[in-house]
Amino acid sequence: MSGVPEGVPCLLMRGGTSKGAYFLAGDLPAEPALRDDLLLRIMGSPDERQIDGLGGAHPLTSKVAVVSPSADPDTDVDYLFLQVAVDRAAVSDRQNCGNILAGVGPFAVERGLVAAGPERTSVRIRMVNSGDRATATFPTPGGRVDPTGSAEISGVPGAAAPVLIEFPPGPRPLLPTGSVREEIEGVEVTCVDNGMPTVLIAAASLQVTGYESPAALEGDRGLAGRLRAIRLEAGRRMGLGDVTDTTVPKLTLLAPPREGGAVTTRTFIPVRCHPSIGVLGAAGVAAGLRMEGSVGAGPARLEPGVDRMRIEHPTGFLDIETSLGSTPEGLPSVRRTAVVRTARKIFDGTVFPRSAGTAPTHPHPLGEQR
């Protein structure tokens, strides 16, 4: 029937502490502008409630994975992550997402891109956004993805099958600015990139404790202004250019641990305060804490000789393993990063986008844009 939008095959999954729509690349337009317009209509943006689409009115539930067979002989699939803005007509490919990454391996098996093993399956993944690689290993008893298991992660109720994600060293320097510690806007920071451009800041240097709730931190207008200024300059120094309209670099405030972990964190993505912490953001924190002289050296409580550390966040913790080496120039470099996540298929079917040209006239009905 004329005017009726065509449906698109889609698998909605929870990956880690995020939720997103997973698509085969061949089911979406190849032209980025057409693809992004379609995804905005599928997710229901721009609208603070995303009431007319799949999105959940928060950056953590407005995510998309586009997966395809990889032409790289060293990887099985390519994974493009797209962050769909909630209250703006914007789609960004400027970052990776380690939580949505947790669902890419199971999705690849579900869609027949990778054959399942009789007990476990490992899927080698190229993250198109950055060129980084990861290997996801998960149970496939009887040659089928089985999401049931006993692994628990903070921020997700219940338990599920573990997805072990291992990250080899990426192609970019761990210290994009070449400095372990530097000053931006009068605040000492450490800029790292262990799969996600991240700026580490001691919470006390911004006159907050680092134990505040996300809502309290988001409501602090003075803090928001300082963080914005730091982020813009850090982005420039890290080689990211003008980051005004992007979601990277992330900013993570650090404070001494309260629950027996290595450090307490509050992460901004980039304006909203994360209710937990992203996998790749945690990888950056873990690497930063291990650098002598970094801003994390003060707040951190590390166990000598142990690769695993527990990173505390507003809703619990994330355990991650990281070990460092050094470059020929004597700068820190990453040897290995590994983390356990979980993922679960929520539905598999056809999604019907909003009709083209029907974006809301007033995309911010519930208040000003944040």
Side-chain angles (χ1 to χ4, degrees), residues 323-349:
S323 60
L324 299 187
S326 60
T327 68
E329 297 76 25
L331 294 174
S333 64
V334 175
R335 286 186 182 136
R336 175 181 177 270
T337 301
V339 64
V340 172
R341 297 274 84 187
T342 64
R344 189 180 75 82
K345 176 172 65 175
I346 297 173
F347 80 69
D348 187 355

Side-chain angles (χ1 to χ4, degrees), residues 51-72:
I51 196 65
D52 203 26
L54 290 181
H58 192 283
L60 297 183
T61 55
S62 187
K63 299 184 174 188
V64 167
V66 182
V67 183
S68 60
S70 181
D72 183 341

Side-chain angles (χ1 to χ4, degrees), residues 88-103:
R88 294 179 293 118
V91 179
S92 174
D93 64 357
R94 294 286 299 273
Q95 67 174 84
N96 288 320
C97 179
N99 276 304
I100 293 298
L101 172 65

